[in-house]
Amino acid sequence: RVPVPPPHEQAAIARILDAVDTAIERTREVVEQARILDHSLLHDLLEHGLGEQKSNKRPAHWPIKRVSEVAEVGSGVTLGKDVSGFKSVELPYLRVANVQDGHLDLSTVKTIRVRCDEVDRYRLEAGDVLMTEGGDLDKLGRGTLWEGQIPDCLHQNHIFRVRANRTMLNPRFFSYVVESDIAKRYFMRVAKRTTNLASTNKTQVRDFRFPVPPLPEQEQIVAIVAAAKAKLRGLIQKEAALQQLKKSLTHDLLTGKVRVDGSGLLPPP
């Protein structure tokens, strides 16, 4: 059994919900365009340089460096280790599920008991770049920047942390490099692969080679990419708000909580 409003009110409800659907679809199209721009922007900057220096070739003053030359790579804590007989502490740690491509999902953070004398080895520092070892293809080498969101947080052994030498490498710049096609192509090429699965290791992460502009140019690239990402986030939030609006309107209009006719909203009964 459903409430059946008069035909003219049905038509008004349909027009309203159609208008919201159209706004959602147009916003979704803009979001997709922004995603494509976000994906290609850094690759273009890394391949062709900045501003007046921009050309068909990578700037000659940008050396190609291995990760091991500009950062230190660390492995995480192994789950299930027996710490009985040692002084230990319970601390939060990041799993592969927490480290997404370009962002963190901290909705569920688990804890682990570790030996006190091993905490410093596995504790994350703000500015560490986190990279996943692999599993499904979408998990191969994906990563993002840790900004110290959780005090005394560790990381498990399926996540590498890359700690930049900040005299040569801006951590956020490197986190964007990890998102780029340059990194994705490299890890797809060197990974150990089976059907639908792929994994990398600490040696391959250390051997990853990428362009390292002077620090001021790294900072310029960070600013450009961050602005594009901020625009994308704003569009995603707009789409989510429209989806919520549609949900609320659908409930209110189809239950008669809000009444409409051809001229607009009717006053409440």
Side-chain angles (χ1 to χ4, degrees), residues 216-230:
E217 292 180 53
Q218 292 182 39
E219 290 164 5
Q220 284 182 270
I221 290 171
V222 165
I224 293 168
V225 177
K229 287 183 175 297

PDB file of all heavy atoms in Angstrom, residues 216-230:
ATOM      1  N   PRO A 216      62.444  24.146  -4.179  1.00  0.00           N
ATOM      2  CA  PRO A 216      61.442  25.180  -4.488  1.00  0.00           C
ATOM      3  C   PRO A 216      60.475  24.740  -5.588  1.00  0.00           C
ATOM      4  O   PRO A 216      59.285  25.070  -5.541  1.00  0.00           O
ATOM      5  CB  PRO A 216      62.293  26.382  -4.935  1.00  0.00           C
ATOM      6  CG  PRO A 216      63.616  26.166  -4.269  1.00  0.00           C
ATOM      7  CD  PRO A 216      63.822  24.688  -4.269  1.00  0.00           C
ATOM      8  N   GLU A 217      60.970  23.992  -6.572  1.00  0.00           N
ATOM      9  CA  GLU A 217      60.090  23.523  -7.645  1.00  0.00           C
ATOM     10  C   GLU A 217      59.200  22.383  -7.158  1.00  0.00           C
ATOM     11  O   GLU A 217      58.050  22.255  -7.597  1.00  0.00           O
ATOM     12  CB  GLU A 217      60.918  23.106  -8.854  1.00  0.00           C
ATOM     13  CG  GLU A 217      61.600  24.295  -9.527  1.00  0.00           C
ATOM     14  CD  GLU A 217      62.421  23.899 -10.740  1.00  0.00           C
ATOM     15  OE1 GLU A 217      61.867  23.232 -11.639  1.00  0.00           O
ATOM     16  OE2 GLU A 217      63.604  24.258 -10.793  1.00  0.00           O
ATOM     17  N   GLN A 218      59.711  21.544  -6.261  1.00  0.00           N
ATOM     18  CA  GLN A 218      58.851  20.533  -5.649  1.00  0.00           C
ATOM     19  C   GLN A 218      57.674  21.206  -4.945  1.00  0.00           C
ATOM     20  O   GLN A 218      56.525  20.753  -5.046  1.00  0.00           O
ATOM     21  CB  GLN A 218      59.644  19.694  -4.643  1.00  0.00           C
ATOM     22  CG  GLN A 218      60.699  18.791  -5.243  1.00  0.00           C
ATOM     23  CD  GLN A 218      61.405  17.962  -4.181  1.00  0.00           C
ATOM     24  OE1 GLN A 218      60.788  17.486  -3.231  1.00  0.00           O
ATOM     25  NE2 GLN A 218      62.716  17.786  -4.340  1.00  0.00           N
ATOM     26  N   GLU A 219      57.972  22.293  -4.229  1.00  0.00           N
ATOM     27  CA  GLU A 219      56.917  22.991  -3.495  1.00  0.00           C
ATOM     28  C   GLU A 219      55.895  23.619  -4.439  1.00  0.00           C
ATOM     29  O   GLU A 219      54.688  23.640  -4.146  1.00  0.00           O
ATOM     30  CB  GLU A 219      57.544  24.051  -2.587  1.00  0.00           C
ATOM     31  CG  GLU A 219      58.325  23.425  -1.420  1.00  0.00           C
ATOM     32  CD  GLU A 219      59.270  24.402  -0.740  1.00  0.00           C
ATOM     33  OE1 GLU A 219      59.257  25.600  -1.118  1.00  0.00           O
ATOM     34  OE2 GLU A 219      60.014  23.971   0.165  1.00  0.00           O
ATOM     35  N   GLN A 220      56.356  24.115  -5.593  1.00  0.00           N
ATOM     36  CA  GLN A 220      55.429  24.652  -6.580  1.00  0.00           C
ATOM     37  C   GLN A 220      54.505  23.557  -7.102  1.00  0.00           C
ATOM     38  O   GLN A 220      53.290  23.764  -7.246  1.00  0.00           O
ATOM     39  CB  GLN A 220      56.207  25.262  -7.758  1.00  0.00           C
ATOM     40  CG  GLN A 220      56.833  26.619  -7.488  1.00  0.00           C
ATOM     41  CD  GLN A 220      57.537  27.141  -8.739  1.00  0.00           C
ATOM     42  OE1 GLN A 220      58.723  26.889  -8.951  1.00  0.00           O
ATOM     43  NE2 GLN A 220      56.803  27.838  -9.568  1.00  0.00           N
ATOM     44  N   ILE A 221      55.078  22.416  -7.397  1.00  0.00           N
ATOM     45  CA  ILE A 221      54.280  21.298  -7.898  1.00  0.00           C
ATOM     46  C   ILE A 221      53.269  20.858  -6.837  1.00  0.00           C
ATOM     47  O   ILE A 221      52.097  20.600  -7.145  1.00  0.00           O
ATOM     48  CB  ILE A 221      55.192  20.130  -8.313  1.00  0.00           C
ATOM     49  CG1 ILE A 221      55.973  20.513  -9.573  1.00  0.00           C
ATOM     50  CG2 ILE A 221      54.389  18.851  -8.549  1.00  0.00           C
ATOM     51  CD1 ILE A 221      57.061  19.530  -9.970  1.00  0.00           C
ATOM     52  N   VAL A 222      53.694  20.797  -5.589  1.00  0.00           N
ATOM     53  CA  VAL A 222      52.791  20.440  -4.497  1.00  0.00           C
ATOM     54  C   VAL A 222      51.610  21.411  -4.450  1.00  0.00           C
ATOM     55  O   VAL A 222      50.449  21.002  -4.304  1.00  0.00           O
ATOM     56  CB  VAL A 222      53.545  20.432  -3.151  1.00  0.00           C
ATOM     57  CG1 VAL A 222      52.570  20.441  -1.975  1.00  0.00           C
ATOM     58  CG2 VAL A 222      54.461  19.215  -3.063  1.00  0.00           C
ATOM     59  N   ALA A 223      51.890  22.699  -4.576  1.00  0.00           N
ATOM     60  CA  ALA A 223      50.818  23.703  -4.512  1.00  0.00           C
ATOM     61  C   ALA A 223      49.827  23.526  -5.662  1.00  0.00           C
ATOM     62  O   ALA A 223      48.601  23.615  -5.467  1.00  0.00           O
ATOM     63  CB  ALA A 223      51.418  25.106  -4.535  1.00  0.00           C
ATOM     64  N   ILE A 224      50.329  23.260  -6.868  1.00  0.00           N
ATOM     65  CA  ILE A 224      49.458  23.091  -8.036  1.00  0.00           C
ATOM     66  C   ILE A 224      48.573  21.860  -7.875  1.00  0.00           C
ATOM     67  O   ILE A 224      47.350  21.909  -8.075  1.00  0.00           O
ATOM     68  CB  ILE A 224      50.305  22.984  -9.326  1.00  0.00           C
ATOM     69  CG1 ILE A 224      51.012  24.309  -9.605  1.00  0.00           C
ATOM     70  CG2 ILE A 224      49.437  22.581 -10.512  1.00  0.00           C
ATOM     71  CD1 ILE A 224      52.078  24.225 -10.679  1.00  0.00           C
ATOM     72  N   VAL A 225      49.194  20.740  -7.500  1.00  0.00           N
ATOM     73  CA  VAL A 225      48.436  19.495  -7.366  1.00  0.00           C
ATOM     74  C   VAL A 225      47.460  19.581  -6.200  1.00  0.00           C
ATOM     75  O   VAL A 225      46.327  19.111  -6.293  1.00  0.00           O
ATOM     76  CB  VAL A 225      49.396  18.300  -7.208  1.00  0.00           C
ATOM     77  CG1 VAL A 225      48.623  17.010  -6.984  1.00  0.00           C
ATOM     78  CG2 VAL A 225      50.294  18.176  -8.442  1.00  0.00           C
ATOM     79  N   ALA A 226      47.882  20.204  -5.096  1.00  0.00           N
ATOM     80  CA  ALA A 226      46.994  20.330  -3.934  1.00  0.00           C
ATOM     81  C   ALA A 226      45.750  21.151  -4.292  1.00  0.00           C
ATOM     82  O   ALA A 226      44.646  20.843  -3.823  1.00  0.00           O
ATOM     83  CB  ALA A 226      47.737  20.974  -2.772  1.00  0.00           C
ATOM     84  N   ALA A 227      45.914  22.191  -5.110  1.00  0.00           N
ATOM     85  CA  ALA A 227      44.769  23.000  -5.523  1.00  0.00           C
ATOM     86  C   ALA A 227      43.791  22.173  -6.359  1.00  0.00           C
ATOM     87  O   ALA A 227      42.571  22.267  -6.183  1.00  0.00           O
ATOM     88  CB  ALA A 227      45.249  24.213  -6.317  1.00  0.00           C
ATOM     89  N   ALA A 228      44.323  21.341  -7.263  1.00  0.00           N
ATOM     90  CA  ALA A 228      43.457  20.483  -8.076  1.00  0.00           C
ATOM     91  C   ALA A 228      42.722  19.472  -7.196  1.00  0.00           C
ATOM     92  O   ALA A 228      41.535  19.194  -7.403  1.00  0.00           O
ATOM     93  CB  ALA A 228      44.291  19.753  -9.132  1.00  0.00           C
ATOM     94  N   LYS A 229      43.409  18.934  -6.194  1.00  0.00           N
ATOM     95  CA  LYS A 229      42.785  17.968  -5.296  1.00  0.00           C
ATOM     96  C   LYS A 229      41.712  18.631  -4.432  1.00  0.00           C
ATOM     97  O   LYS A 229      40.675  18.022  -4.137  1.00  0.00           O
ATOM     98  CB  LYS A 229      43.848  17.299  -4.427  1.00  0.00           C
ATOM     99  CG  LYS A 229      44.721  16.304  -5.182  1.00  0.00           C
ATOM    100  CD  LYS A 229      45.692  15.617  -4.266  1.00  0.00           C
ATOM    101  CE  LYS A 229      46.474  14.554  -5.008  1.00  0.00           C
ATOM    102  NZ  LYS A 229      45.626  13.461  -5.537  1.00  0.00           N
ATOM    103  N   ALA A 230      41.960  19.871  -4.019  1.00  0.00           N
ATOM    104  CA  ALA A 230      40.959  20.583  -3.225  1.00  0.00           C
ATOM    105  C   ALA A 230      39.688  20.807  -4.042  1.00  0.00           C
ATOM    106  O   ALA A 230      38.569  20.665  -3.526  1.00  0.00           O
ATOM    107  CB  ALA A 230      41.537  21.912  -2.741  1.00  0.00           C
TER     108      ALA A 230
END
